[in-house]
Amino acid sequence: MAGKTLHMIGNAHLDPVWLWRWQEGFQAAKATFRSALDRMREYDEFLFTSSSAAIYEWIEHNDPPMFEEIRARVAEGRWELAGGSWVQPDCNIPCGESFVRQALYGQRYFQQKFGVMSTFGYNVDSFGHHAMLPQILRKSGMDSYVITRPEPHEKGLPGRLFWWESDDGSRVLTYRIPYEYSTWGKDLERYVRRCVGELKPPYDELMCFYGVGNHGGGPTRENIESIRRMAAQPDLPALVFSTPGRFFAGALAKDLPFPVVHDELQHHASGCYAAHSGIKRWNRQAENLLLAAEAWSAIAERVTGLPYPDLSRAWKSVLFNQFHDILAGTSLEAAYDDARDLYGEAMAIAGRALNDATQSLAWQIDLPDQAGALPIVVFNPHAWPSAAPVEVDASGVRETDVLLDDDGRQVPLQLLRPPAIVSGWRRRLCFVAELPALGYRVYHVADGSETRRPGDQETRRPGDQETRRAEDVSRVTPGLPVSRPLGLPVSVSEDGLALESARFRLRIDAATGTIAGLYDKRHQVEVFLGAAAVPTAIDDPSDTWGHGVYRFHDVVGTFAPSRVWLAESGPVRATVRVESAYGQSTLAQEISLYRDLDLVEVRVTVDWRERHKALKLGFPLNLNFIRATYEIPFGQIERPTGGMEEPGQSWVDLSGSARGSDVLYGLSLLNDGKHSFDVSGRLLSLTVLRSPIYAHHHPTEPAPGEPYSFMDQGVQRFTYALLPHAAGWEQAGTTRRAAELNRRPVALVESGHAGRLPQRDSFMAVDQPNIVVSAVKRAEDGDDLVVRAYETDRAATRATISLPKWGRAIAADFGPCEIKTFRVPRDPARPVVETNLLEI
């Protein structure tokens, strides 16, 4: 077949964890690499491709002689390093910074150990690919990309080879592998002839992947011998032993008119967006804790001289757990014990670093010792001013005490009992802190016995400032107004409870336990069209991946409320606790309205005991002409409202026109650990969990009577928030508000001491609301400060990131959805420079 070429790509897809734990994956990696090296000695023309820097690091530490053999083969061009990332991650669930760190650690490891970096991304087994990946790949040194999924029946593409473009205009030449990345037969002729059918003008070259995979193995002697035999057959194209790097280099050199795809690459295994709540929550927590630890450690190094910690071990643990079969929730049950421990190690390392940094800074603040005063230092981890709820435990706080800010102004304070503590000696302080950008502020608990709060109607009695508790609807006189000093008006009736702030009127139905109404008084809009925060049980007989299932809509039951009661009512917030049950499962939603915040916060506790069912929370919006937008890593994407299960990050937004009025309006649903949603018409649903059998893969059917383990059994907790807004999510600052929910302020109870720092300070600020600083860290090499930021609203923007303590100002033009990284030298005589994601 003259003029046609198939590049035969010898590879071994290695799942370090799947139906086995990482220890077995470790051994399989060694066996696979040994086999590939042996085949190279036997066949001079044989070439091998393998990804994942984490696996190479295993070999380096455990078998140094084999590692040296691999180094030699890489140097002679016969062994190609693929992907440039630490592992082949799930490409929907990690945050944008995690994708940067996959390449930062992967590419730099390859460069350090082998003297080369990968030129192409390689995620052949990941279950979907978010739409910002082309920019991340390009800025990590990769101009091309290899995938398998979504498969043709899941998403039509204009060909096997195409330009994939992200919203900023970055492109990578992308190849969708025909059929499969692994082969199981000894002779490859049948497989090769299938691939030949994919050769269509004007593209006369394609890649054909072969080699035993998943548990490793790699190309066999029989594979290689069959390629040699077929190469002599005239009815087949030229078969050449090759690598993806060679294939892409040739394709790019031809400068052919490849079609352009400007879209995400979905949907495969939609059930993975919600499978195993624990792994997804741990990942979110670890990402945010590490990013906060980096930022405050970098600041403390420059302000107090505290040495910057080594966080690489923590990051590598997080990155390894982002492997697609781990983070997607598709591995065996025991693998999640290992993942939990790795995340725990990472969060312990990050937690110590964050504590060291904030304690070091707080100890340098000038805090005059005042009798009866208790200083509280609150740190804002974001590079914009933030109004955020703070809860901190302290001893000896009295009911008559008040809270003062650093200017001596009184701040509403609410006293709670710390969870699981009966003693009244410890109290939890709750207040809303107004914080400077990436800075701190000192608050003081002071004796308020001689102070009357503005608005007090009577002399305070013991318990006035403490949260009102245990007020069951059935035992409250209908229509009785409930109020506290500076508190939110609360009314109770036979129908339920109503909470009111200056902005909202929130009604909870006592009969159903759902939100009966959320009225925006400022814009005169009723947010919901019917009952909201409705928990429903969904029939879900599918496997762990949800193979072939794209909608989870078959409602089989609803939760019935067992108790609806006023759990808190005070100067800061009022909270209604709704306890409900379905089958053997229980659900508690603590719905809070704050006096000074324009959102509704809901803390959820689920004790799930169902099998082959999913749990969703539904929110019907009172909108027309709806636009549904989902956060994705470093960006956002609009999707249809046809009810498909979709992946998302920390927020989803529905915006449109309020029904019955001309008001442009919307609602952002924020969350701190969920990734699966659907929008069906006006109904926005958050998928809380699924409960399939661990690692069940269709078409295998479960055996009757077997004691299988089911996912998400037991107690889990998470928080979501409702952010109603006029206009669109862009004007509401949704991206920033979701970041505030996920990365909370750090509050330290201090003591009086002298210091050289003021009681309020800011170390970095960005002047445009659509620019988010995603990372502040020390450079991987040298002592430069690395600052990364991205544009959130698809709007070209000129922004300045100021570092006032060091006399620096980073002025930059951001294109729509553009990510920018800067190196800020410690030496003020050296200029700030823009760099790539690898910091080189």
Side-chain angles (χ1 to χ4, degrees), residues 470-478 492-497 508-511 563-566 576-577:
E471 195 135 31
D472 197 302
V473 173
S474 63
R475 295 199 297 269
V476 175
T477 304
V492 183
S493 69
E494 292 178 350
D495 295 332
L497 297 99
I508 310 298
D509 190 316
R563 193 182 184 198
V564 180
W565 54 296
L566 185 64
V576 174
R577 181 177 170 93

Side-chain angles (χ1 to χ4, degrees), residues 370 402-411 441-444 446 451 759-760:
Q370 299 175 2
V402 296
L403 185 68
L404 305 175
D405 65 17
D406 57 303
D407 291 325
R409 291 179 298 224
Q410 192 170 329
V411 177
R441 190 175 188 181
V442 176
Y443 290 82
H444 296 269
T451 305
Q759 294 196 13
R760 182 187 346 180

Side-chain angles (χ1 to χ4, degrees), residues 296 365 367 375-380 386-387 390 404-409 411 431-444 746-748 758-763:
W296 286 115
I365 299 172
L367 299 173
I376 301 172
V377 186
V378 185
F379 293 86
N380 176 17
S386 173
V390 172
L404 305 175
D405 65 17
D406 57 303
D407 291 325
R409 291 179 298 224
V411 177
F431 60 97
V432 173
E434 297 279 352
L435 302 172
L438 196 58
Y440 65 83
R441 190 175 188 181
V442 176
Y443 290 82
H444 296 269
V746 176
L748 296 178
Q759 294 196 13
R760 182 187 346 180
D761 216 341
S762 173
F763 301 99

Side-chain angles (χ1 to χ4, degrees), residues 518-581:
L518 178 59
Y519 183 71
D520 186 334
K521 297 189 291 184
R522 181 183 304 166
H523 300 287
Q524 299 181 337
V525 170
E526 183 64 54
V527 177
F528 295 119
L529 185 66
V534 179
T536 55
I538 309 294
D539 186 41
D540 180 14
S542 60
D543 66 3
T544 306
W545 288 256
H547 278 123
V549 181
Y550 302 100
R551 293 171 175 82
F552 297 86
H553 287 173
D554 189 4
V555 176
V556 292
T558 57
F559 281 70
S562 54
R563 193 182 184 198
V564 180
W565 54 296
L566 185 64
E568 301 172 347
S569 177
V572 177
R573 71 186 183 201
T575 299
V576 174
R577 181 177 170 93
V578 178
E579 297 174 355
S580 57

Side-chain angles (χ1 to χ4, degrees), residues 17-20 323 325-326 328-333 335-336 544-545 694-695 711:
V17 175
W18 180 28
L19 304 179
W20 45 86
F323 179 73
D325 277 314
I326 302 175
T330 58
S331 292
L332 79 167
E333 185 176 15
Y336 291 100
T544 306
W545 288 256
Y694 273 96
M711 282 192 180

